[in-house]
Amino acid sequence: MSARPQPLVVGAGPAGIRAAAALVAAGLRPLVVDEAPACGGQIYRQRLVQDGRSTKDLYGSEAGKAERLHAAFAALDGHIDYWPQALLWNLRDGTADIAVAGTSRRVAYDGLILATGATDRVLPVPGWTLPGVFTLGGSQVSLKAQGCAIGSRVVFAGSGPLLYLVAWQYMKAGVEVAAVLDAAPATAKLNLIRAVPLDAGIVLRGARFVAELRLRGVAIRTGVEGLRFEGEGRVSGVAWREGGRERRLACDGVGYGLALRSETQLADLAGCTFRFDDRDRAWLPTRDVAGRSSVAGVYLAGDGAGIAGADAAERAGERAALALLEDRGLAVDRARVVALETELARIGRLRDVLEAAFPFPAHWAGAIDDSITLCRCEGITAGAVREAAKHFDIGEINRLKAVSRVGMGRCQGRICAAASAEVLAAATGKPIDGVGRLRAQAPVKPIPLALQLAADRSEDAA
Amino acid sequence: MSRHLDIDVAIVGGGLVGSSAALALRNMGFDVALLDKGFCGAQASGVNYGGVRRQGRPREQLPLSQRAHAVWPRLKELIGIDGEFLRSGHLKLARSEADMASLEAYAAEVADQGLDLELIGHNGLRERFPWIDGSILGASLCAGDGHANPRLVSAGFASAARRAGVHVLENTPVAGITRNGEGFALEAGTGTTLTAAIVINSAGAWADRFAADFGEPVPLTRIYPSMIVTEPLPPVMTVNIGIEGGGIYARQVERGNCVVGGERALPLADPDFSRPRGDGALAIMNRTAEVFPALRHAQAIRFWSGTEAAMPDRNPVIGFSGTTPGLIHAFGFTGAGFQIAPGVGEVLAELVRDGRTSTPIEAFSISRFSRPATSRPDQHRTSHGSGADQPPEPHNRGAHS
Ligand SMILES: Cc1cc2nc3c(=O)[nH]c(=O)nc-3n(C[C@H](O)[C@H](O)[C@H](O)COP(=O)(O)OP(=O)(O)OC[C@H]3O[C@@H](n4cnc5c(N)ncnc54)[C@H](O)[C@@H]3O)c2cc1C
């Protein structure tokens, strides 16, 4: 091994695995860290214990991809250093602080590939904090990792392709799905016709989900407004407006989400420049087609750099690794580079269409009642946020955080920042990109006060 | 967009010093503009630890500190919010006999200043503050000190100033100040120009530049104290804690979070921003778990830091320029400006109105840096000596609070 420190890959999902594999193929030995106990990321998350379910049961039509990816990672054994259940909580100037196995290690890296993935985006609606209400991603995790359903009669609500996928997966798992409540009007789905030449398979699969759900009697509602979750102490039903009429359904579990948001705190700590992305309606680290960020030696891949899905993540991960190799002056396969970039461009166009078909209901933000909790960690209501913005004459999200505490709690705004920015924009009449971006601070997630700095260095840890 | 203002007083820097001066001046009837290159209260004044502490200050700061002490309980009336100010008391811990002796010496030195310090021995400490680790030998309590929420207090003064009629111009960096007949002409970002009879230089860690422009270079350096905060915890800490000789300082806010400071952060590429070092934050966290056993299993949820102006003798610069009539300086609070700032604001307003102030500020004159080196106070030792072997700490006794 050379005297140069190892490259560091953060995240062992589709992007991180393909990145690590490409580095290994070129003779490098990266360190791969991930919070999860096993590889796969969110989408190809593995069960915690073998429970008799097949990969087909777990991943449905994506089982082949899941198997290939898990196998690809297994094949890296011995060629990488892999720290599962490791939290990278701080980054600076080529050094990462990583909490793993009860201590914190300082790791010097040369080349950093951030493949940090995404989590659900939500806008608060009445009852969103009731027990029994989960995010769409959370509903899926509980099914995949633990084999648990979030209820026995479940409603899925919100927007985004995940809405139908999770509903279908629950139905397949034998759970009663009472309804799918889609925020987008039915006409939005006409956009999907444009997706056919880009990826007919995805359109067909979506159509099949809807058809099979309908066949089983699942109510599919579009253009849903005024969504709220009801119940005393736990969710017992959902209510909404549809074409001006009030509707109501009993249920004991809700999966709710409005597509995904990128996990960008590490890119922020790494010093990357951000720009506002209209498609994701979010601030994202800038990158070139290869995944190079604005900071030399820092590469971005997968949903953490912008929502594009698992297929894109695999390619972006590999492309970012090739960029790292190129930047080290190592030879890369040009044909492969071109193929990856062509595929990524195609998926990018597909994403444009999907966004039009599953639009984010931004107009919900202005309608959030003052009494609704916006920031769960700190218990801050939408009304308190609006009041603080008014009292202090504030139209910028970091200032809003300072005076209202919104985004200051355990989640550091990962859950509430998008919604808070929407509420602030609506309250001040500013465009969403005019209220700024919540700056990240370490630690990325909470760490124990008693966490000790390990005496060793990564080099001997391997 | 270009605009021009012709006013009595232009205040450069909307930290707590500038915004409290703005409010005081406006209340006296002056036409005032408060300019900030970013948002008012977004720098040191809004991100500091929140210690509202007189104890531990050098003797020469105490009259000013006492003046500020009278302002803190009146925040609600002054700015419409109480800023979460809590008169909890400030307890300074001694880890060794030498530290205890140092606390005793300080108490004797400032006995006539009205701080009402109470020295507490080991047994007393165990009895009254059983949540502090038994290895601490003793402490000095200043019951009248406390803590507050800097994020609210600083923004609160600026928004009260705005409501009172001050022209608060945010995101308006002052690019240059020139002498213009009897007064000054200011050029600021976004095409703003001002003419003013008086200029107050309260630009915090950026103030040295304006002093130098008027022929008064000062040995100002920047420091970046590191902060960590825990998740909300059940009530543990009943007082604001400092430690003699430095180390950490800690307080618990009403919501339950414990805020702990110590160590030094590092500036980012844009030196207006800074971030704690990972190992520095861990050191603060580990020490917190040692001194407060009840926090041993708590989690830290956020770190931050801020940019602060430090002077080598750890005293601020407050008062008229030595070269330029109508120019007043107020900067360089060296990690301890939060508590005194509301008093400084009143003093600055008096200087503008009367040309003098009832509070002694001679020790803070900018001219002390133009005197021959021999008469300059020692760089690392203060009159009552502590923290002597350390680089400039946020304040003279090694810990804020
Ligand atoms: C992390 C930290 C912890 C601290 N803890 C404590 C504590 O517990 N107790 C205590 O008493 N003190 C504490 N302090 C010190 C205290 O915060 C400062 O001494 C005090 O806030 C200084 O106030 P200020 O108004 O001079 O500076 P600032 O608040 O920094 O204000 C200066 C302002 O000037 C503006 N400015 C600069 N250049 C220009 C320009 N060209 N044009 C326009 N505007 C400009 C800046 O944007 C800034 O807003 C701490 C400081 C820090 C950083």
Side-chain angles (χ1 to χ4, degrees), chain B residues 214-280:
Chain B
F214 288 100
E216 295 175 296
V218 284
L220 178 154
T221 54
R222 289 181 178 181
I223 56 171
Y224 308 91
S226 279
M227 304 286 138
I228 69 130
V229 62
T230 70
E231 63 198 316
L233 301 167
V236 184
M237 299 183 188
T238 50
V239 288
N240 177 4
I241 293 280
I243 298 185
E244 175 61 18
I248 56 168
Y249 35 101
R251 66 188 183 100
Q252 187 170 23
V253 306
E254 210 179 332
R255 163 133 182 90
N257 310 73
C258 293
V259 181
V260 192
E263 299 283 329
R264 284 284 184 272
L266 292 170
L268 295 176
D270 175 353
D272 287 12
F273 294 97
S274 56
R275 266 200 214 120
R277 301 151 40 120
D279 48 353

Coordinates of all heavy atoms in Angstrom, one line a residue, chain B residues 214-280:
Chain B
F214 N -8.2 55.0 10.3 CA -8.1 56.3 10.9 C -6.8 56.4 11.7 O -6.7 57.2 12.7 CB -9.3 56.6 11.8 CG -10.5 56.9 10.9 CD1 -11.5 55.9 10.7 CD2 -10.7 58.1 10.3 CE1 -12.6 56.1 9.9 CE2 -11.8 58.4 9.5 CZ -12.7 57.4 9.3
G215 N -5.8 55.6 11.3 CA -4.4 55.8 11.9 C -4.3 55.2 13.3 O -3.4 55.6 14.0
E216 N -5.1 54.2 13.6 CA -5.1 53.6 14.9 C -5.0 52.1 14.8 O -5.9 51.4 15.2 CB -6.3 54.1 15.8 CG -6.3 55.5 16.1 CD -7.5 56.0 16.8 OE1 -8.6 55.9 16.2 OE2 -7.4 56.4 17.9
P217 N -3.9 51.6 14.4 CA -3.7 50.1 14.3 C -3.8 49.5 15.7 O -3.3 50.1 16.6 CB -2.4 49.9 13.6 CG -1.6 51.2 13.9 CD -2.6 52.3 13.9
V218 N -4.5 48.4 15.8 CA -4.6 47.7 17.1 C -4.2 46.3 17.0 O -4.5 45.7 15.9 CB -6.0 47.8 17.7 CG1 -6.3 49.2 18.2 CG2 -7.1 47.4 16.6
P219 N -3.6 45.7 18.0 CA -3.2 44.3 17.9 C -4.4 43.3 18.2 O -4.4 42.5 19.1 CB -2.2 44.2 19.0 CG -2.6 45.2 20.0 CD -3.2 46.3 19.3
L220 N -5.4 43.4 17.3 CA -6.6 42.6 17.5 C -6.4 41.2 16.8 O -5.9 41.2 15.7 CB -7.8 43.3 16.8 CG -9.2 42.6 16.8 CD1 -10.3 43.7 16.8 CD2 -9.4 41.7 15.7
T221 N -6.7 40.2 17.5 CA -6.7 38.8 16.9 C -8.1 38.2 17.0 O -8.9 38.7 17.8 CB -5.7 37.9 17.6 OG1 -6.0 37.9 19.0 CG2 -4.3 38.4 17.5
R222 N -8.3 37.2 16.2 CA -9.6 36.5 16.3 C -9.5 35.2 17.1 O -8.6 34.5 16.9 CB -10.1 36.2 14.9 CG -10.4 37.5 14.1 CD -10.9 37.2 12.7 NE -11.3 38.4 12.1 CZ -11.8 38.4 10.8 NH1 -11.9 37.3 10.2 NH2 -12.1 39.6 10.3
I223 N -10.5 35.0 17.9 CA -10.6 33.7 18.6 C -11.9 33.1 18.3 O -12.9 33.8 17.9 CB -10.4 33.8 20.1 CG1 -11.4 34.8 20.7 CG2 -8.9 34.2 20.4 CD1 -11.4 34.9 22.2
Y224 N -12.0 31.7 18.4 CA -13.2 31.0 18.0 C -13.5 30.0 19.1 O -13.1 28.8 19.0 CB -12.9 30.2 16.7 CG -12.4 31.1 15.6 CD1 -11.0 31.3 15.4 CD2 -13.2 31.8 14.8 CE1 -10.5 32.1 14.4 CE2 -12.8 32.6 13.7 CZ -11.4 32.8 13.6 OH -10.9 33.6 12.6
P225 N -14.2 30.4 20.2 CA -14.5 29.5 21.2 C -15.5 28.4 20.7 O -16.3 28.6 19.9 CB -15.3 30.4 22.3 CG -14.9 31.8 21.9 CD -14.6 31.8 20.5
S226 N -15.3 27.2 21.2 CA -16.1 26.0 20.8 C -17.2 25.8 21.7 O -17.0 25.8 23.0 CB -15.2 24.8 20.7 OG -14.5 24.7 19.6
M227 N -18.4 25.4 21.2 CA -19.5 25.1 22.0 C -20.1 23.8 21.7 O -20.1 23.4 20.5 CB -20.6 26.1 21.8 CG -20.3 27.6 22.0 SD -20.1 27.9 23.7 CE -18.7 28.9 23.7
I228 N -20.7 23.1 22.6 CA -21.5 21.9 22.3 C -22.8 22.0 23.1 O -22.9 22.7 24.1 CB -20.8 20.6 22.7 CG1 -20.7 20.4 24.3 CG2 -19.4 20.5 22.2 CD1 -21.2 19.1 24.8
V229 N -23.8 21.3 22.6 CA -25.1 21.3 23.4 C -25.6 19.9 23.4 O -25.5 19.2 22.4 CB -26.1 22.3 22.8 CG1 -26.5 22.0 21.4 CG2 -27.3 22.4 23.6
T230 N -26.2 19.6 24.5 CA -26.7 18.2 24.7 C -28.2 18.2 24.3 O -28.8 19.3 24.1 CB -26.7 17.7 26.1 OG1 -27.6 18.5 26.9 CG2 -25.3 17.8 26.7
E231 N -28.8 17.1 24.1 CA -30.2 16.9 24.0 C -30.8 17.4 25.3 O -30.2 17.6 26.3 CB -30.5 15.4 23.9 CG -30.1 14.6 25.1 CD -30.0 13.1 24.9 OE1 -30.9 12.6 24.3 OE2 -29.0 12.6 25.4
P232 N -32.2 17.7 25.3 CA -32.8 18.2 26.5 C -32.7 17.1 27.6 O -33.0 15.9 27.3 CB -34.3 18.4 26.1 CG -34.2 18.5 24.6 CD -33.1 17.7 24.1
L233 N -32.4 17.5 28.8 CA -32.2 16.6 29.9 C -33.1 17.0 31.1 O -33.4 18.2 31.2 CB -30.8 16.5 30.3 CG -29.8 16.1 29.3 CD1 -28.3 16.4 29.7 CD2 -29.9 14.6 28.9
P234 N -33.4 16.1 32.0 CA -34.1 16.6 33.2 C -33.2 17.6 33.9 O -32.0 17.7 33.8 CB -34.2 15.3 34.1 CG -33.9 14.2 33.1 CD -33.1 14.7 32.0
P235 N -33.8 18.5 34.7 CA -33.1 19.6 35.4 C -31.9 19.0 36.2 O -32.2 18.1 37.0 CB -34.1 20.3 36.3 CG -35.4 19.9 35.7 CD -35.3 18.6 35.0
V236 N -30.7 19.5 36.0 CA -29.6 19.1 36.7 C -28.8 20.3 37.3 O -28.7 20.5 38.5 CB -28.6 18.3 35.9 CG1 -27.4 17.8 36.7 CG2 -29.2 17.1 35.2
M237 N -28.4 21.2 36.4 CA -27.6 22.3 36.7 C -28.5 23.5 37.2 O -29.2 24.0 36.4 CB -26.8 22.8 35.5 CG -25.8 21.7 35.0 SD -24.9 22.4 33.7 CE -24.1 21.0 33.1
T238 N -28.3 23.9 38.4 CA -29.1 25.0 38.9 C -28.3 26.3 38.8 O -28.9 27.4 38.9 CB -29.4 24.8 40.4 OG1 -28.1 24.5 41.1 CG2 -30.3 23.6 40.6
V239 N -27.0 26.3 38.5 CA -26.3 27.5 38.3 C -25.5 27.5 37.0 O -25.2 26.4 36.5 CB -25.3 27.8 39.5 CG1 -26.0 28.2 40.7 CG2 -24.4 26.6 39.7
N240 N -25.0 28.6 36.6 CA -24.1 28.7 35.5 C -22.7 28.4 36.1 O -22.3 29.0 37.1 CB -24.2 30.2 35.0 CG -23.2 30.5 33.9 OD1 -22.4 29.6 33.4 ND2 -23.2 31.7 33.5
I241 N -22.0 27.5 35.4 CA -20.7 27.0 35.9 C -19.5 27.5 35.2 O -19.5 27.4 33.9 CB -20.7 25.4 35.8 CG1 -21.8 24.8 36.8 CG2 -19.3 24.9 36.2 CD1 -21.4 24.7 38.2
G242 N -18.5 27.9 35.9 CA -17.2 28.2 35.3 C -16.2 27.4 36.0 O -16.4 26.9 37.1
I243 N -15.0 27.3 35.5 CA -13.9 26.6 36.2 C -12.7 27.5 36.2 O -12.3 28.0 35.2 CB -13.6 25.2 35.5 CG1 -14.8 24.3 35.5 CG2 -12.4 24.5 36.2 CD1 -14.6 22.9 35.0
E244 N -12.2 27.7 37.4 CA -11.0 28.5 37.5 C -9.9 27.9 36.7 O -9.6 26.7 36.7 CB -10.6 28.6 39.0 CG -9.3 29.3 39.3 CD -9.3 30.7 38.9 OE1 -10.4 31.3 38.7 OE2 -8.2 31.3 38.8
G245 N -9.2 28.8 36.0 CA -8.1 28.3 35.1 C -8.6 27.7 33.8 O -7.8 27.2 33.0
G246 N -9.9 27.8 33.5 CA -10.3 27.4 32.2 C -10.9 26.0 32.2 O -11.3 25.5 33.2
G247 N -10.8 25.4 31.0 CA -11.4 24.0 30.9 C -12.8 24.2 30.3 O -12.8 24.5 29.1
I248 N -13.8 24.0 31.0 CA -15.1 24.1 30.4 C -16.0 25.1 31.2 O -15.7 25.4 32.3 CB -15.9 22.7 30.3 CG1 -16.0 22.1 31.7 CG2 -15.2 21.8 29.4 CD1 -16.9 20.9 31.8
Y249 N -17.1 25.5 30.6 CA -18.1 26.3 31.3 C -19.4 25.7 30.8 O -19.6 25.3 29.7 CB -17.9 27.8 31.0 CG -17.4 28.1 29.7 CD1 -18.3 28.6 28.7 CD2 -16.1 28.0 29.3 CE1 -17.9 28.9 27.4 CE2 -15.6 28.3 28.1 CZ -16.5 28.8 27.1 OH -16.1 29.1 25.9
A250 N -20.4 25.7 31.7 CA -21.6 25.0 31.4 C -22.9 25.6 32.0 O -22.8 26.1 33.1 CB -21.5 23.5 31.9
R251 N -24.0 25.5 31.3 CA -25.2 26.0 31.9 C -26.3 25.1 31.3 O -26.1 24.5 30.2 CB -25.5 27.4 31.5 CG -25.7 27.7 30.0 CD -25.7 29.2 29.7 NE -26.0 29.4 28.3 CZ -27.2 29.8 27.8 NH1 -28.3 29.9 28.6 NH2 -27.4 30.0 26.5
Q252 N -27.4 25.0 32.0 CA -28.6 24.3 31.5 C -29.7 25.2 31.2 O -30.0 26.0 32.1 CB -29.0 23.2 32.5 CG -30.1 22.3 31.9 CD -30.4 21.1 32.8 OE1 -30.1 21.1 34.0 NE2 -30.9 20.0 32.2
V253 N -30.3 25.2 30.0 CA -31.4 26.1 29.7 C -32.7 25.5 30.1 O -32.8 24.3 30.5 CB -31.4 26.4 28.2 CG1 -30.0 27.0 27.7 CG2 -31.8 25.2 27.4
E254 N -33.7 26.3 30.2 CA -35.0 25.9 30.7 C -35.5 24.7 30.0 O -36.1 23.8 30.5 CB -36.0 27.1 30.6 CG -37.0 27.0 31.7 CD -38.0 28.2 31.6 OE1 -37.5 29.2 31.2 OE2 -39.1 28.0 32.1
R255 N -35.3 24.6 28.7 CA -35.8 23.5 27.9 C -35.1 22.2 28.3 O -35.6 21.1 27.9 CB -35.6 23.8 26.4 CG -35.6 22.7 25.5 CD -36.5 22.9 24.3 NE -36.5 21.7 23.5 CZ -37.5 20.8 23.6 NH1 -38.4 20.9 24.5 NH2 -37.4 19.7 22.9
G256 N -33.9 22.3 28.9 CA -33.3 21.1 29.4 C -31.9 20.8 28.8 O -31.1 20.0 29.3
N257 N -31.6 21.5 27.7 CA -30.3 21.3 27.0 C -29.2 21.9 27.9 O -29.4 22.9 28.5 CB -30.3 22.0 25.7 CG -31.5 21.7 24.8 OD1 -32.6 22.2 25.0 ND2 -31.3 20.9 23.8
C258 N -28.1 21.2 27.9 CA -26.9 21.7 28.6 C -26.0 22.3 27.5 O -25.6 21.6 26.6 CB -26.2 20.7 29.4 SG -27.2 20.1 30.8
V259 N -25.6 23.5 27.7 CA -24.7 24.2 26.7 C -23.3 24.2 27.4 O -23.2 24.6 28.6 CB -25.1 25.6 26.5 CG1 -24.2 26.3 25.5 CG2 -26.6 25.7 26.0
V260 N -22.3 23.7 26.7 CA -21.0 23.6 27.3 C -19.9 24.2 26.4 O -19.9 23.9 25.2 CB -20.6 22.2 27.7 CG1 -19.3 22.2 28.6 CG2 -21.7 21.4 28.4
G261 N -19.1 25.1 26.9 CA -18.0 25.7 26.0 C -16.7 25.3 26.5 O -16.5 24.8 27.7
G262 N -15.7 25.5 25.7 CA -14.3 25.3 26.0 C -13.5 25.1 24.7 O -14.1 25.2 23.7
E263 N -12.2 25.0 24.9 CA -11.4 24.7 23.7 C -11.5 25.8 22.6 O -12.2 26.8 22.9 CB -11.8 23.4 23.0 CG -11.6 22.2 23.9 CD -10.2 21.7 24.0 OE1 -9.4 21.9 23.1 OE2 -9.8 21.2 25.1
R264 N -10.9 25.6 21.5 CA -10.9 26.6 20.4 C -11.3 25.9 19.1 O -10.8 24.8 18.8 CB -9.5 27.2 20.3 CG -9.2 28.2 21.3 CD -10.0 29.5 21.0 NE -9.6 30.6 22.0 CZ -10.2 30.7 23.1 NH1 -11.3 30.0 23.4 NH2 -9.8 31.7 23.9
A265 N -12.1 26.6 18.3 CA -12.5 26.1 17.0 C -11.5 26.7 16.0 O -10.5 27.4 16.3 CB -13.9 26.5 16.7
L266 N -11.7 26.3 14.7 CA -10.9 26.8 13.7 C -11.8 27.5 12.6 O -12.9 27.1 12.4 CB -10.2 25.6 12.9 CG -9.1 24.9 13.8 CD1 -8.7 23.6 13.0 CD2 -7.9 25.8 14.0
P267 N -11.2 28.6 12.1 CA -12.0 29.3 11.0 C -12.1 28.5 9.8 O -11.3 27.6 9.5 CB -11.2 30.6 10.8 CG -9.8 30.2 11.2 CD -9.9 29.2 12.3
L268 N -13.2 28.7 9.0 CA -13.3 28.0 7.7 C -12.6 28.9 6.7 O -12.1 29.9 7.0 CB -14.8 27.9 7.4 CG -15.6 27.0 8.3 CD1 -17.1 27.0 8.0 CD2 -15.0 25.6 8.3
A269 N -12.7 28.5 5.4 CA -12.1 29.2 4.3 C -12.7 30.7 4.4 O -11.9 31.6 4.1 CB -12.4 28.6 3.0
D270 N -13.9 30.8 4.6 CA -14.5 32.1 4.8 C -14.4 32.4 6.3 O -15.2 31.8 7.1 CB -16.0 32.1 4.4 CG -16.7 33.4 4.7 OD1 -16.1 34.3 5.4 OD2 -17.9 33.5 4.3
P271 N -13.5 33.3 6.7 CA -13.2 33.4 8.1 C -14.3 34.0 9.0 O -14.2 34.1 10.2 CB -11.9 34.3 8.1 CG -12.0 35.0 6.9 CD -12.7 34.2 5.9
D272 N -15.4 34.4 8.3 CA -16.6 34.8 9.1 C -17.2 33.6 9.8 O -18.0 33.8 10.7 CB -17.6 35.5 8.2 CG -17.2 36.9 7.7 OD1 -16.0 37.2 7.9 OD2 -18.0 37.6 7.2
F273 N -16.9 32.5 9.3 CA -17.5 31.3 9.9 C -16.4 30.4 10.4 O -15.2 30.4 10.0 CB -18.3 30.5 8.8 CG -19.5 31.2 8.3 CD1 -19.4 32.0 7.2 CD2 -20.6 31.2 9.1 CE1 -20.5 32.7 6.7 CE2 -21.8 31.9 8.6 CZ -21.7 32.6 7.5
S274 N -16.7 29.6 11.5 CA -15.7 28.7 12.1 C -16.5 27.5 12.6 O -17.7 27.5 12.7 CB -15.0 29.4 13.2 OG -16.0 29.9 14.2
R275 N -15.7 26.4 12.8 CA -16.3 25.2 13.3 C -15.4 24.6 14.3 O -14.2 24.6 14.2 CB -16.6 24.2 12.1 CG -17.9 24.3 11.5 CD -18.3 23.1 10.8 NE -19.1 23.4 9.7 CZ -18.8 23.2 8.4 NH1 -17.7 22.6 8.1 NH2 -19.6 23.6 7.5
P276 N -16.0 24.0 15.3 CA -15.2 23.3 16.3 C -14.4 22.2 15.7 O -14.8 21.6 14.7 CB -16.2 22.7 17.3 CG -17.4 23.6 17.2 CD -17.4 24.0 15.7
R277 N -13.3 21.9 16.3 CA -12.5 20.7 15.8 C -13.2 19.5 16.4 O -13.6 19.5 17.5 CB -11.1 20.8 16.3 CG -10.3 22.0 15.8 CD -9.3 22.4 16.8 NE -8.6 21.2 17.3 CZ -7.3 21.0 17.2 NH1 -6.5 21.9 16.7 NH2 -6.8 19.9 17.7
G278 N -13.1 18.4 15.7 CA -13.7 17.1 16.2 C -13.1 16.7 17.6 O -13.8 16.4 18.5
D279 N -11.8 16.7 17.6 CA -11.2 16.3 18.9 C -11.4 17.3 20.0 O -11.6 16.9 21.2 CB -9.7 16.0 18.7 CG -8.9 17.1 18.0 OD1 -9.6 18.1 17.5 OD2 -7.7 17.1 17.9
G280 N -11.5 18.6 19.6 CA -11.8 19.6 20.6 C -13.2 19.4 21.2 O -13.4 19.5 22.4

